[in-house]
Amino acid sequence: MTSVKTIAILFLLQGLSALGNVDETCEIGASKDEKYLLYTVNPGEGFNLRRDVYLRVANLVRKLNEIDNWVLVLPPWGNFYHWKNTQRGKYFPWSSFFDLSSLNRWIPVMELSDFLKVKGGTVDAAYILQHYAEGWNGNWEEKYDERPCIEPVPFTQEDGNNQWVGRIWGTQISTENFSCMSVQGHASTIVPLVNKPGVRSVLVGRAETVLHDEFGGKWFWSARRSMRFANHLQEEANRFRKHFLDSDDTRDLTEKKEDWRDSKPKQDAARGGPYVSVHLRRRDFIYAKGDEVPSLSKAAKQIEKLLKSYSLTKVFVATDASFDEIEELKLKLKEYEVHYYSPSQEFFNQWGDGGVAIVDQIICSYARIFIGSYESTFSFRIQEEREILGFPVETTFNRLCGKKKKCEQPAKWKIVY
Ligand code: GFB
């Protein structure tokens, strides 16, 4: 099985590295028949939309593996607009945030650093996806065509040289075959583009351009369930739950099986810890979403209403708000216990803004009742997590209302097995 093979290669590489014995570019341990897909996402996108793009690409690999033997190379995380306290140019491998053995139970994956050890920084082809300059003119058909690049691309070609060279994830990637591809369609629309005879490694840039093959369907949820968090983050969140929120999996009825494929909690079985959790998105969201975002006073009122209706006294707030805003919110809720996660310096140095964001998301996921922010992908990922844990929908799909009279609640994307 490919996934087992990939893990075996990684162990072999780790062993050889420890012996100081690896030739950085030779194909030690590479399986002759494996092919490699790399991808990028629009640099302006945040952490949680990127997590969604992973699901699209993972299911592209699932499709590719019906005909061949592809491994997904995981693009390291870094240089994000929102990660203000994390050093620019610092990239985190996926194992910093996610459990690779869980991912591998859905499709074969490997870290970029392991790909570079096996293959070096050269790929057989690189495509940057884009929409059609002329739009789709009301005529939806699934297609892709080579077209002039619409936006600046990360690859350049020196005169008289047939190599295209780009700097991606702080790493030099080169290829002899580069083009921009206008695409209209789903992830599997580009299967023939990727799976060409003689092409063994492909980089697909701007992968967010393609849609999910079946958003909210069984394959979507399998890929999503495979995205379990790294143990060190889950444990950090569990310590916080226990210490400050009287919350643990036994009492909360949120125990999970070791392997996500065996974990299928009964719908509505999860009880959650005795606290309200809130995702209160501030900063650029206030400008981007305007009247949909509440003032702190209005947010406090909505939180208090939930605390009362669930007879709870503790609230956990995940937020990107400034310290002053957090203090202001605490003051407005002074009759209740308001908690938020503040990492130790040691934790922050190791896992950065991404690690803190995930700990916040995990703690929100285990609350008796959750309320999020309007159309925030950060909130959406928490809602998915709660579906995976088996919470009743009315405790999950709630949002804070802003000034607008009409306050539509989030769509209820229920899990499918
Ligand atoms: O994750 P994200 O795409 O969600 O971007 P939205 C928000 C980022 O802000 C997160 C930080 O990845 C975190 O780095 N952040 C937001 C938080 N809320 C929290 C929180 O509660 N705790 C912690 N620790 N960090 C979209 C962006 O954000 O908002 C778009 O993707 C754009 O680029 C738009 O900025 C306005 O969907 O909320």
Side-chain angles (χ1 to χ4, degrees):
M1 215 171 100
T2 315
S3 56
V4 174
K5 205 187 312 171
T6 307
I7 294 170
I9 291 166
L10 299 185
F11 280 130
L12 177 65
L13 277 169
Q14 277 161 8
L16 289 172
S17 299
L19 292 170
N21 208 7
V22 170
D23 173 343
E24 293 284 294
T25 53
C26 79
E27 298 213 356
I28 288 174
S31 158
K32 286 220 164 16
D33 57 355
E34 268 180 357
K35 298 181 173 184
Y36 303 91
L37 179 67
L38 295 79
Y39 75 99
T40 71
V41 181
N42 179 12
E45 300 296 350
F47 192 24
N48 288 292
L49 184 94
R50 285 164 190 273
R51 284 176 56 188
D52 182 77
V53 176
Y54 170 80
L55 306 185
R56 304 178 210 185
V57 183
N59 280 328
L60 166 62
V61 171
R62 185 187 67 79
K63 275 274 184 197
L64 286 165
N65 282 346
E66 287 173 2
I67 42 180
D68 224 317
N69 206 358
W70 287 83
V71 179
L72 183 59
V73 179
L74 302 167
W77 308 92
N79 270 10
F80 297 167
Y81 164 78
H82 300 95
W83 289 7
K84 301 276 189 218
N85 298 308
T86 303
Q87 199 190 321
R88 301 289 299 170
K90 178 170 172 153
Y91 287 91
F92 293 81
W94 275 59
S95 59
S96 303
F97 306 133
F98 299 100
D99 177 358
L100 257 63
S101 52
S102 272
L103 296 174
N104 257 308
R105 290 184 181 121
W106 182 238
I107 51 145
V109 297
M110 75 197 303
E111 299 275 15
L112 176 71
S113 56
D114 291 314
F115 170 80
L116 294 174
K117 280 179 205 154
V118 176
K119 302 294 286 181
T122 305
V123 290
D124 293 338
Y127 306 110
I128 300 290
L129 306 185
Q130 59 187 12
H131 294 291
Y132 282 84
E134 66 274 25
W136 59 290
N137 295 329
N139 176 26
W140 178 263
E141 55 171 320
E142 305 233 337
K143 59 180 182 177
Y144 60 84
D145 292 288
E146 186 173 342
R147 290 288 175 88
C149 300
I150 299 172
E151 287 181 20
V153 291
F155 284 93
T156 51
Q157 193 179 33
E158 279 173 23
D159 286 344
N161 189 335
N162 60 357
Q163 285 283 319
W164 290 83
V165 179
R167 244 195 125 64
I168 306 177
W169 316 293
T171 301
Q172 183 169 305
I173 303 285
S174 55
T175 184
E176 284 187 8
N177 299 299
F178 169 77
S179 46
C180 283
M181 286 282 162
S182 286
V183 181
Q184 191 170 282
H186 296 87
S188 57
T189 307
I190 61 169
V191 164
L193 175 70
V194 175
N195 203 54
K196 285 185 177 160
V199 175
R200 312 195 62 80
S201 52
V202 178
L203 183 141
V204 171
R206 299 289 304 260
E208 78 284 358
T209 313
V210 291
L211 304 168
H212 283 278
D213 271 351
E214 43 144 39
F215 181 75
K218 192 174 157 197
W219 307 126
F220 168 92
W221 278 105
S222 295
R224 180 62 183 82
R225 287 161 70 214
S226 76
M227 271 192 117
R228 283 208 170 161
F229 298 118
N231 268 340
H232 53 266
L233 300 182
Q234 186 76 47
E235 280 163 12
E236 176 80 352
N238 289 354
R239 270 193 296 275
F240 189 96
R241 285 166 60 207
K242 194 167 192 162
H243 191 76
F244 295 106
L245 299 166
D246 306 319
S247 165
D248 63 58
D249 290 341
T250 315
R251 283 180 288 177
D252 300 354
L253 307 176
T254 48
E255 273 164 341
K256 290 189 286 198
K257 297 254 169 53
E258 182 65 28
D259 182 337
W260 59 267
R261 293 171 299 185
D262 307 328
S263 209
K264 192 179 166 190
K266 267 203 212 113
Q267 182 60 45
D268 299 355
R271 182 164 180 257
Y275 59 99
V276 170
S277 69
V278 185
H279 174 228
L280 179 67
R281 184 78 160 79
R282 305 297 288 169
R283 299 198 189 248
D284 56 330
F285 226 63
I286 300 174
Y287 313 108
K289 309 284 177 184
D291 286 353
E292 302 285 0
V293 182
S295 63
L296 290 179
S297 300
K298 189 147 191 198
K301 280 197 186 112
Q302 293 169 71
I303 295 167
E304 184 168 23
K305 194 169 165 205
L306 281 179
L307 283 160
K308 282 187 174 150
S309 62
Y310 280 78
S311 306
L312 296 168
T313 54
K314 291 175 194 263
V315 52
F316 175 78
V317 182
T319 186
D320 59 342
S322 65
F323 178 76
D324 288 351
E325 282 185 311
I326 296 174
E327 288 303 304
E328 196 183 325
L329 183 74
K330 274 180 157 177
L331 209 61
K332 292 184 192 304
L333 291 167
K334 59 178 181 308
E335 283 154 45
Y336 303 92
E337 252 186 65
V338 181
H339 294 277
Y340 70 99
Y341 174 69
S342 173
S344 66
Q345 194 58 50
E346 194 191 356
F347 179 95
F348 192 85
N349 290 345
Q350 212 168 351
W351 314 117
D353 288 297
V356 180
I358 288 183
V359 171
D360 267 348
Q361 287 183 312
I362 299 174
I363 302 171
C364 282
S365 305
Y366 285 84
R368 189 133 326 146
I369 164 100
F370 169 70
I371 187 162
S373 289
Y374 172 72
E375 284 186 356
S376 161
T377 54
F378 191 104
S379 294
F380 292 157
R381 299 294 86 84
I382 295 169
Q383 289 164 354
E384 289 160 9
E385 212 59 39
R386 291 176 64 86
E387 271 299 295
I388 292 169
L389 288 165
F391 279 98
V393 285
E394 65 275 13
T395 70
T396 292
F397 297 97
N398 307 296
R399 63 163 275 215
L400 293 162
C401 297
K403 243 200 262 164
K404 267 198 176 167
K405 271 231 166 63
K406 188 160 177 266
C407 178
E408 208 173 311
Q409 291 302 306
K412 298 178 176 56
W413 289 106
K414 284 180 57 62
I415 194 163
V416 176
Y417 291 99

